[in-house]
Amino acid sequence: MTNRTLCQENFLTRMERLAKAHPAAILLREKDLTEAEYTELAREVLRICKRHGVLCILHNYADAARKLHHPALHLPLPALRLLSDSERHSYQVLGASCHSVADAKEAEALGCSYITAGHIFDTDCKKGLPGRGLEFLREVCSSVSIPVYAIGGICPDHVASVKAAGAAGACIMSSAMTCADADSYLASLHM
């Protein structure tokens, strides 16, 4: 998951390095950009991901995904609710951010092919809010039949525990954007 404001190098250079490490996917989550700015950045990141055979999932801007004819989109649950059935079914990969078992069940009913559940561990991104923990993750995973990816405070030491709780995988953001040796870091997270 991206956050270019955390990068200490050129963001597209970081995307190139991350894509070369072949993560399962890169979720382009640049929430502070306007839709036009996001669309332009997405064009560049999609080229990088395509060159390395890595799935890129666009975030938040369904119109940008349509303009770019891109079949993978991740939305906050309130935005997912606003899409029509035909819009939701037009994506090969559709995900939503979930923060409760009820959210997870709703996202699955709305046609998501996966969800993220979090935040699992304490994280600087959610300062002052304690992580929901592994029991929460276990409950979410057991409530749906689609893959669940843990998010929030994930580091290599957590990978085994989130998998043991039933998660299909884990999402990282801060360390993927800031780690000096992103390639080794990503390799340590492969499941």
Side-chain angles (χ1 to χ4, degrees), residues 53-171:
V54 172
L55 172 64
C56 181
I57 303 171
L58 300 185
H59 182 268
N60 202 40
Y61 294 113
D63 288 341
R66 278 191 293 278
K67 284 178 195 169
L68 296 169
H69 306 288
H70 192 65
L73 180 66
H74 185 97
L75 294 170
L77 191 55
L80 178 67
R81 292 177 185 131
L82 299 176
L83 295 182
S84 69
D85 284 345
S86 64
E87 288 172 317
R88 289 192 308 272
H89 288 93
S90 69
Y91 296 98
Q92 294 171 8
V93 175
L94 182 62
S97 303
C98 297
H99 306 288
S100 69
V101 168
D103 285 357
K105 289 179 179 180
E106 181 180 1
E108 183 176 41
L110 288 171
C112 283
S113 53
Y114 77 93
I115 60 169
T116 59
H119 66 284
I120 303 305
F121 301 103
D122 293 352
T123 174
D124 287 342
C125 296
K126 306 279 186 187
K127 275 204 186 293
L129 292 175
R132 290 181 170 90
L134 292 169
E135 185 54 37
F136 162 78
L137 181 60
R138 233 182 309 285
E139 290 171 12
V140 169
C141 291
S142 66
S143 73
V144 295
S145 60
I146 57 176
V148 176
Y149 293 88
I151 189 168
I154 305 295
C155 68
D157 294 344
H158 296 134
V159 173
S161 61
V162 299
K163 284 194 73 164
C171 302

